[in-house]
Amino acid sequence: MNLILLGAPGAGKGTQAEMICKEFDIPTVSTGNILREAVKKGTELGLKAKSCMDSGNLVPDEVVIELLKQRISEDDCKNGFILDGFPRTVPQAEALDKMGVRIDKVIEIYVPDEKIMGRLSGRRVCEDCGASYHTEYKKPDVCGICNLCGGKLVQRKDDDPKIVKDRLTVFHEQTEPLKDYYSSKGKLVVVEGQEEVKDTTALTFKAVRGNL
Ligand code: ADP
Ligand code: ZN
């Protein structure tokens, strides 16, 4: 099963991707996490991506397309994958089609803009494994420490409120057109983000199973 999770920054795509991954046993492929990893390691790719990411802009299509292609050709993706944060532009979606990747469903996690700001300002991520938490909605067991790997929780540079605004603009201009792209193919399912993560997850699972 090949799934795409679509949604504004801070809508909770990553969290839902993690839940689907556990429930249905398919790996999550997050281009954001792969890019942040590359930045941390200081690879050539990371150097290219860093300034785009820090300023809230997209990394050029050809860079992320190549990265995605490599990642989904790995062994663990043989029986399917969940794409979190890819595609983000129409050319990226077209590239997936050209690669011959069949998409079963595109699940949009919908959260209105006015709620996004609060969500992102409280977001904390694990420095080591990239897992995501929230100071109010998804607290770690031990304050400041990742449940999964014990890494330190930090705030992402691009979660600064000024940059969040730009990310939202980029989302509306470049990523939102993908809703039409996939709904015209009959693949789009919209899940309304709920106050409680578990309630959103219940809806997401229904969407994956085709009962929403
Ligand atoms: P969020 O969904 O919270 O904005 P991500 O972790 O998915 O965050 O992405 C962080 C940043 O990484 C983006 O703002 C962008 O600069 C870059 N990025 C991730 N995925 C893509 C993509 N598919 N195309 C272009 N840039 C990307
Ligand atoms: Zn961690």
Side-chain angles (χ1 to χ4, degrees):
M1 183 164 53
N2 299 330
L3 302 173
I4 291 175
L5 282 175
L6 203 63
K13 297 185 294 289
T15 304
Q16 292 308 313
E18 256 176 62
M19 300 297 177
I20 301 174
C21 169
K22 279 189 212 140
E23 178 81 5
F24 298 90
D25 200 26
I26 36 178
T28 298
V29 172
S30 157
T31 42
N33 283 351
I34 299 173
L35 290 167
R36 274 186 293 278
E37 194 60 28
V39 170
K40 210 167 75 182
K41 285 193 188 139
T43 63
E44 200 183 322
L45 169 73
L47 292 176
K48 266 194 224 166
K50 188 176 188 311
S51 59
C52 303
M53 294 175 78
D54 285 351
S55 61
N57 288 305
L58 296 182
V59 172
D61 283 336
E62 60 277 13
V63 176
V64 276
I65 289 168
E66 188 49 40
L67 189 114
L68 193 277
K69 213 183 209 166
Q70 284 176 19
R71 177 63 188 90
I72 63 175
S73 71
E74 284 172 32
D75 241 21
D76 63 329
C77 289
K78 266 203 313 255
N79 295 321
F81 44 77
I82 310 153
L83 300 183
D84 163 21
F86 188 99
R88 248 181 164 89
T89 63
V90 171
Q92 290 179 21
E94 289 168 347
L96 268 183
D97 292 342
K98 265 190 226 134
M99 286 177 222
V101 173
R102 189 182 43 81
I103 298 299
D104 296 288
K105 280 196 182 73
V106 178
I107 300 173
E108 187 204 5
I109 311 291
Y110 174 74
V111 174
D113 282 11
E114 53 277 19
K115 289 204 176 156
I116 296 284
M117 295 303 248
R119 284 179 173 235
L120 287 181
S121 60
R123 174 157 79 175
R124 298 292 180 271
V125 293
C126 172
E127 213 173 36
D128 293 333
C129 77
S132 158
Y133 298 85
H134 195 281
T135 50
E136 282 171 61
Y137 311 121
K138 196 184 169 204
K139 295 180 184 170
D141 295 338
V142 180
C143 181
I145 305 289
C146 177
N147 290 351
L148 303 177
C149 77
K152 191 175 144 203
L153 302 185
V154 296
Q155 182 162 36
R156 266 166 53 174
K157 257 201 187 131
D158 59 350
D159 282 345
D160 179 297
K162 285 195 291 281
I163 294 178
V164 168
K165 268 200 149 162
D166 293 338
R167 285 163 68 203
L168 276 173
T169 306
V170 167
F171 170 74
H172 291 304
E173 287 177 1
Q174 303 197 50
T175 307
E176 235 174 3
L178 290 175
K179 286 162 66 171
D180 284 341
Y181 185 90
Y182 286 115
S183 79
S184 71
K185 296 176 192 282
K187 299 200 189 278
L188 185 74
V189 193
V190 180
V191 165
E192 295 234 4
Q194 307 292 306
E195 291 299 320
E196 298 270 344
V197 172
K198 66 171 184 358
D199 296 332
T200 308
T201 303
L203 294 173
T204 302
F205 287 178
K206 276 192 174 177
V208 174
R209 296 192 169 103
N211 302 325
L212 191 72

